[in-house]
Amino acid sequence: MDEFASARLVALVQRALAGEGIRVVAPGGGGALLPFEAKRRFLRDVARDHGLLPLLRAGSLMPASPSDPAVSALLSAVGPRDLFARWQRLERFTHSRHRVVVRESGTGHLVAEHVGPPMEPPEPAEDAVVLGVLTALLPLTGARDVTVGAGYGEPTTVFADGAVTAAPPGHGGGLWRFTWSGTAPPVHPRPARSGTDAVARTRELLGADLARRWTLAALAAELGLPVRSLQRRLAGDGGFTGLLGELRTEAAAALLLRSAHSIGVIGFACGYADQAHFTRHFGLRTAMTPAAYRSAFRRPGPDGRPGLDEPPGPDTVSDMGERPDERSDGRTCEWTDAPTGVRTASDARTTARTPGTARRRTA
């Protein structure tokens, strides 16, 4: 299958260049995706004509797109290592040809390398864009006094004192060293506590960051409760695993119906490990693949196109490196209009709620 890269990533670079007074014509893909080679040629031409520095600075626009679910999931990272773990999971979801590999991690530093297939490594322009995005996000995770170096051998300092300082090397700039003096609470807001109800507070915490690798112990620590006590309180709501699965399905269903974000990005933002995990667990609760659910339940807007409450803007980058959406497995069902809800595999009752109205399968 041909690989694709996001038109939104290209639009992000185009907007950043326009902010510097540089006008470029970006390739169009007729949607959120465009051919990988078109994106590569565009970035290569920008680097040839204007250097790598504008591409590195383009990443600073990433935090300005919090409504994008993938950006929101990245912004919710707590600490540098969590950010890199989330980024790597996003790469898996989007089948990215190039990957960020953590080579070394210690107190106050992390070394990462941007790699690709043996005969097709990332080009300098691609290195610069990804490095710029990670550099812009890192201070927002709570890392203080961030310094970033790029290059094999003696690295070139490209970020220090809160600002981009130099362009990465034109060749061999795919090895990156990030250092920080310490960590503080991340700048993104945490949900306010809603009383003392453990189930309500659990829903609030989990729902605020579904992309986090939650464990029962971590949740109990956040709530200030013993693990066994929390287990007992959640037992009536399906337990920790059941409640987390319900919230992920609920959030994914809402995004499938009310946004144009790709299925891979939705799965990443809702905390699934990869596309197969998303498809399997969503299917267990709805008896449908995500693609089939979107196709069956989304209703057209006034113009005949799918109705969207929150279409992705042209400056988001959530589909970077992604292949087209998965397809339905071809199974057919009869449908009747019914109140909103997600049909479970076990019975016809609703177990996850989505905004608006949907249709329920009738046997």
Side-chain angles (χ1 to χ4, degrees):
M1 182 184 293
D2 291 338
E3 293 204 33
F4 280 70
S6 174
R8 297 171 192 151
L9 172 65
V10 169
L12 177 82
V13 172
Q14 185 180 34
R15 182 180 171 204
L17 293 173
E20 299 190 20
I22 301 172
R23 300 193 64 179
V24 295
V25 178
L33 303 173
L34 61 93
F36 178 86
E37 288 301 329
K39 183 268 295 186
R40 170 166 273 192
R41 284 194 302 271
F42 170 72
L43 295 180
R44 184 188 299 149
D45 291 346
V46 169
R48 181 197 62 214
D49 296 338
H50 306 287
L52 296 176
L53 194 57
L55 294 174
L56 183 67
R57 285 197 289 252
S60 64
L61 294 182
M62 168 77 97
S65 306
S67 61
D68 181 285
V71 175
S72 178
L74 293 170
L75 288 172
S76 296
V78 180
R81 293 170 187 82
D82 186 24
L83 171 64
F84 277 83
R86 293 180 190 225
W87 183 268
Q88 290 170 325
R89 188 163 57 84
L90 177 60
E91 290 176 327
R92 291 197 302 272
F93 252 109
T94 57
H95 305 284
S96 179
R97 184 180 304 190
H98 301 141
R99 305 291 178 97
V100 173
V101 178
V102 175
R103 298 299 188 192
E104 181 183 327
S105 180
T107 303
H109 80 278
L110 184 148
V111 178
E113 187 174 13
H114 196 210
V115 302
M119 301 303 292
E120 196 174 28
E123 295 187 351
E126 293 164 324
D127 287 339
V129 172
V130 175
L131 176 59
V133 169
L134 291 171
T135 297
L137 291 173
L138 197 61
L140 301 180
T141 69
R144 297 179 297 188
D145 304 321
V146 173
T147 300
V148 182
Y152 296 86
E154 186 65 28
T156 299
T157 299
V158 300
F159 183 87
D161 300 321
V164 172
T165 57
H171 295 283
L175 186 68
W176 309 325
R177 183 176 180 85
F178 302 86
T179 61
W180 55 92
S181 65
T183 57
V187 299
H188 51 80
R190 304 294 291 174
R193 291 190 174 187
S194 59
T196 58
D197 186 313
V199 175
R201 289 171 59 197
T202 293
R203 287 181 173 273
E204 223 169 27
L205 278 172
L206 297 180
D209 188 8
L210 289 171
R212 179 171 169 177
R213 300 292 83 196
W214 284 103
T215 64
L216 180 62
L219 176 62
E222 290 268 4
L223 294 172
L225 294 172
V227 171
R228 295 296 296 275
S229 175
L230 180 60
Q231 280 181 311
R232 288 193 298 271
R233 297 190 191 196
L234 298 181
D237 290 83
F240 167 72
T241 301
L243 185 56
L244 180 57
E246 177 187 333
L247 291 170
R248 283 180 169 153
T249 303
E250 179 183 68
L255 285 169
L256 287 167
L257 297 184
R258 302 178 62 179
S259 82
H261 297 295
S262 71
I263 288 174
V265 162
I266 291 171
F268 162 73
C270 294
Y272 296 96
D274 53 33
Q275 185 69 63
H277 182 231
F278 181 25
T279 300
R280 182 171 64 255
H281 282 262
F282 191 85
L284 286 174
R285 291 179 175 274
T286 67
M288 303 179 75
T289 67
Y293 184 87
R294 168 176 268 176
S295 177
F297 287 155
R298 181 185 284 179
R299 296 189 173 184
D303 59 356
R305 299 172 63 187
L308 305 177
D309 286 353
E310 45 181 276
D315 58 338
T316 59
V317 298
S318 61
D319 297 307
M320 183 173 62
E322 186 162 15
R323 295 172 181 169
D325 284 352
E326 58 155 328
R327 301 302 178 192
S328 168
D329 59 7
R331 292 181 294 175
T332 58
C333 306
E334 293 183 1
W335 301 92
T336 58
D337 287 339
T340 185
V342 179
R343 187 187 188 279
T344 66
S346 59
D347 60 36
R349 291 176 298 177
T350 296
T351 59
R353 297 288 174 182
T354 57
T357 58
R359 289 171 291 174
R360 182 177 301 153
R361 190 169 71 173
T362 57

